[in-house]
Amino acid sequence: MTAFTQRSQLCHHSDTYLHSWTSGVRVTSAPTLEVPDSLWKAETSVQSVGPTDARRCVSRPQADLQLGLTQEEVRRRRAYHGWNEFDISEDEPLWRKYLSQFKDPLILLLLASAVISIIMHQFDDAISITVVAVVLSCVQEYRSEKSLEELGKLVPPECHCVREGNLEHLLARELVPGDTVCLSVGEKVPADLRLFEATDLSVDESSLTGETTPCTKSTAHQPASTNGDIASRSNIAFMGTLVRYGKAKGIVIGTGENSEFGEVFKMMQAEEAPKTPLQKSMDLLGKQLSLYSFCIIGVIMLVGWLQGKSLLDMFTIGVSLAVAAIPEGLPIVVTVTLALGVMRMVKKRAIIKKLPIVETLGCCNVICSDKTGTLTKNEMTVTQLFTSDGQHAEVTGVGYNGQGEVLLNGEVIHGFSCQSISKIVEVGCVCNDSIIRNHNVLGRPTEGALIALAMKVGLEGLQREYVRVEEHPFSSEKKWMAVRCDKAGVYFMKGAYEQVIRFCSSYNSRGSALPLNHQQVELYQQQISYMGSGGLRVLAFASGSEMGKLTFLGLVGIIDPPRSGVKEAVGTLISSGVTIKMITGDSQETAMSIGQLIHTRLRKCINGVAVTDGVPGSALCPQISVFYRASPRHKLKIVKSLQNNGAVVAMTGDGVNDAVALKAADIGVAMGQTGTDVCKEAADMILVDDDFQTIMSAIEEGKGIYNNIKNFVCFQLSTSIAALTLISLATLMNFPNPLNAMQILWINIIMDGPPAQSLGVEPVDRDIIRKPPRNVGDSIITRSLIVKVLVSAFIIVCGTLYVFWREDNVITPRDTTMTFTCFVFFDMFNALSSRSQTRMVHEMGLCSNRTFCFAVLASIMGQLLVIYFPPLQSVFQTESLSVLDLVFLVSLTSSVCAVSEVIKKVERWRGVEKSPPSDFFHEV
Ligand code: ATP
């Protein structure tokens, strides 16, 4: 029995008992876990499982809901159930891939050529054609698939799990059946979970059922269902589904292939990844070229036959032409170049989830970026405090720790020494879902800053003293959060000033609640403008026993400085014609102040609310650079409005509700650190460190990859056309064949092989980021490219024919050696100039692409062996050439490079490659 089947059986066994366990449970009481109390103690609207059934719940999988599993138990279970992942080791082996290549029409064609060679008793050719062509394509295809497979492993899912009484942040693969998992908004369910605690939980199961409306989950008992309908099992959260709302705790009942998702995963593996537009157009180009080549080959064979040449001879020519002219490497190089480029992007901290995005990156002309965390550091520190009775305090110290002081008129505030201040600190601390551990925030940085503030006045212990009985969680849509706690029965609220003040009827004046009046409101507005214009994020605080009649307590100002390097990145992008738009939930003053720090052109601003359909705001989007008080639903409208104006939009996002906008954007960018799983799922690209500069690096890389593919196409097309024309002309002019089949094969290896491949890894031109974005509709085959291809092919053909001609009329091995070497050298110089369509060789540096240097050196060494090494001489029918011959050939063949360089110079002079950056999306 293999390990795999053994495990399946074990899993099956465990499934049976887990199934009976899952279907017989009613509701039990929520165990208290050693996790941030505020997170899990809420009782209101929490459905929990009753004590009796909880015991049953726990006894089957022998787990402890309160403490979770012990490390020892985890190890034991892992040995039994394996890791919570999918076994992808059952990969298609190389030999099967090798065989699958035979379905490719081009490979079939080459094989047909080989068969013809066998018929003609040219066994050498037959073997070479088969082995070289098939092995080369197969290995390349395998390599590309390997690299693509790696992409899938770049974003390992994570989860929160309780083990030995502690809340741990783990990789989802480490889960075992019986583990207690905590779920919250935006997370991906890491394994099949039987829920035993759920607060307003609603889960998006579209990955399993295709149903896009999120379904409500509860802990309620379910009668044993026989139809296996996933949607009806509402007390189970399935692996791979996404938490859209609420939070929950559950116990793992199925991991890896033993989960419901395991089935879907197997189906997904069977699906082939869709090809990118570039891959598709290269496939088409390859097919078209093959068709043209065949027509030409047909005509040549017919002409030759009419000229009275033997049919067998014409077959030989046909085979050689088929081998030389069919660019079978074209689609493969595109895939390999894309995949390698994507791996390079990972090093620059950008994870590309969908290959077509690599192409889109170079077309992106508008970037809509979040402010907090992307343009700024997301390292929040409270620096100012303003109490509702008009006192102004300064806060010192930075970071998530208690180092620093709150100073009121030079006096240090500690504990409850100033009621007005400590009330604000208390609300900030209690109405808070985050904790600070080892100077790091687990939760939201804004809330981390409030806990650090509490630590500075010695009130951080308050967080543990209160048990929540009701909560209104924070969302970017609402922009406020409130909790009610059992101790005092009062509400504590914090949030954006405009939101909080709506719930207030009084303000705190040295301990007593006075009715709010116009004067006070004016005073607070002034303070907000003052703090905001200093770039501070402003939060308002209130408390009271009734939600509409709260007492306003005051404001805090939180600093979050711009990331270093962002200013330069924004400047570079703007100068290249990319427009930057900042979208933030913060107030106008804060947004503008940070906007100005980042770039002076970020001037024109609008309230997110104004961006609604039918309102002129939507049409204005192209000219606005800062959207303040914006919420996720505005993002979608902004994207749509920009797209309607012809923009290719990259949009960043982190929250659950950003997912729609990310999907709608041409490039959806999710935050790797602060982003929710929902948002990462919807995105095309993930910024590992949330840094705006990474978007710039990705655009740079995207443009570079596209250019490299263009260079490769230019090289391959010119060689293909040259080889085809050379042999066609020789036939039509009734010359003997200038190259024999083995020589043509060798040229083909160079054309599709290492030198050509190495063009795909050409380092990105540092100036490329300054080039304007490409037009989406632009084809890779531009007029300028066609001119270069035809000119190079023309020079190669003329030069080779000249060498062939210049020798005497009788065809000797020396003549073919000279012609053959001439073509190979032409190819090398052609590859050298194809390294860039715009830069001269000396600008790029001769050795800047080391892979290319090695590939060319290896090809030259190979060519010399073919000329001077006796056993190869007999295979290739060559003979030794003199040094003078070589010098002559090098001088002649370098002309192709020289002419290309002249064309580049002329183009640069005429400004062909330059189009002025569009100013349309900038402010007017
Ligand atoms: P950005 O787009 O700059 O990244 P954002 O859109 O994520 O920011 P939010 O986090 O939604 O902005 O914050 C919007 C406003 O909501 C803030 O200005 C602040 O007043 C308030 N706010 C932020 N965080 C909290 C929180 N944890 N609790 C209550 N109110 C908050």
Side-chain angles (χ1 to χ4, degrees), residues 659-917:
V660 190
L662 294 198
K663 271 230 157 94
D666 300 276
I667 306 168
V669 186
M671 299 299 133
Q673 284 176 2
T674 54
T676 52
D677 291 340
V678 172
C679 169
K680 289 180 194 166
E681 198 78 5
D684 306 298
M685 182 166 108
I686 298 175
L687 305 183
V688 178
D689 43 15
D690 297 8
D691 192 346
F692 180 83
Q693 289 173 84
T694 312
I695 305 181
M696 188 178 87
S697 309
I699 290 184
E700 196 174 11
E701 220 25 88
K703 284 182 178 174
I705 292 171
Y706 191 86
N707 275 1
N708 285 352
I709 292 175
K710 198 169 177 178
N711 297 340
F712 171 80
V713 169
C714 177
F715 170 68
Q716 212 182 38
L717 282 188
S718 47
T719 315
S720 263
I721 292 175
L724 195 68
T725 318
L726 182 71
I727 297 176
S728 313
L729 282 179
T731 313
L732 292 178
M733 291 167 152
N734 215 356
F735 283 171
N737 207 354
L739 301 167
N740 64 37
M742 277 314 282
Q743 291 170 348
I744 292 175
L745 187 68
W746 175 243
I747 289 170
N748 184 54
I749 289 178
I750 293 179
M751 191 175 89
D752 287 335
Q757 296 268 314
S758 62
L759 291 176
V761 292
E762 186 69 33
V764 173
D765 173 8
R766 260 178 286 125
D767 279 343
I768 203 159
I769 191 66
R770 289 176 218 289
K771 300 264 157 67
R774 215 177 56 241
N775 255 333
V776 198
D778 281 357
S779 158
I780 202 162
I781 316 267
T782 55
R783 243 186 59 189
S784 137
L785 187 103
I786 295 175
V787 169
K788 280 182 194 140
V789 164
L790 292 181
V791 169
S792 301
F794 179 75
I795 297 171
I796 296 175
V797 171
C798 291
T800 316
L801 276 182
Y802 168 70
V803 170
F804 186 54
W805 220 332
R806 140 184 199 276
E807 306 293 325
D808 42 45
N809 281 339
V810 190
I811 303 296
T812 61
R814 186 193 135 73
D815 300 343
T816 47
T817 311
M818 281 294 279
T819 319
F820 170 44
T821 313
C822 174
F823 197 96
V824 169
F825 282 7
F826 260 132
D827 230 20
M828 295 291 109
F829 278 111
N830 190 22
L832 181 65
S833 65
S834 298
R835 280 177 56 202
S836 169
Q837 300 300 308
T838 47
R839 281 182 307 158
M840 325 283 281
V841 174
H842 69 268
E843 287 166 352
M844 289 183 276
L846 208 57
C847 303
S848 54
N849 181 353
R850 303 254 303 274
T851 324
F852 178 81
C853 293
F854 288 130
V856 167
L857 271 181
S859 305
I860 293 174
M861 294 297 285
Q863 181 66 20
L864 295 180
L865 278 179
V866 166
I867 303 174
Y868 296 106
F869 185 50
L872 288 180
Q873 280 181 336
S874 67
V875 175
F876 285 88
Q877 294 159 25
T878 51
E879 68 170 38
S880 304
L881 298 177
S882 70
V883 176
L884 269 182
D885 284 335
L886 290 181
V887 170
F888 164 72
L889 288 176
V890 169
S891 336
L892 177 75
T893 55
S894 59
S895 59
V896 71
C897 184
V899 173
S900 290
E901 297 293 277
V902 171
I903 295 179
K904 284 180 202 170
K905 195 98 198 157
V906 172
E907 274 185 347
R908 198 180 291 176
W909 177 61
R910 289 177 50 206
V912 167
E913 293 285 323
K914 279 186 212 144
S915 55

Side-chain angles (χ1 to χ4, degrees), residues 370-372 444 446-447 474 476 479-481 494-496 537-539 583-587 629-630 654:
D370 280 338
K371 174 180 75 66
T372 313
R444 293 194 185 89
T446 304
E447 296 186 345
F474 171 77
S476 290
K479 297 187 174 50
W480 59 269
M481 169 185 180
K494 71 178 195 314
R537 159 171 276 201
V538 184
L539 238 69
I583 303 177
T584 176
D586 276 330
S587 67
R629 285 288 184 235
D654 49 11

Side-chain angles (χ1 to χ4, degrees), residues 611-655:
V611 190
T612 41
D613 281 343
V615 176
S618 165
L620 264 177
C621 275
Q623 282 92 43
I624 303 295
S625 43
V626 175
F627 296 84
Y628 62 92
R629 285 288 184 235
S631 69
R633 83 199 141 88
H634 300 133
K635 285 188 171 178
L636 181 66
K637 286 182 179 147
I638 295 171
V639 167
K640 292 264 180 230
S641 156
L642 290 167
Q643 283 174 335
N644 288 342
N645 284 294
V648 178
V649 188
M651 166 72 81
T652 69
D654 49 11

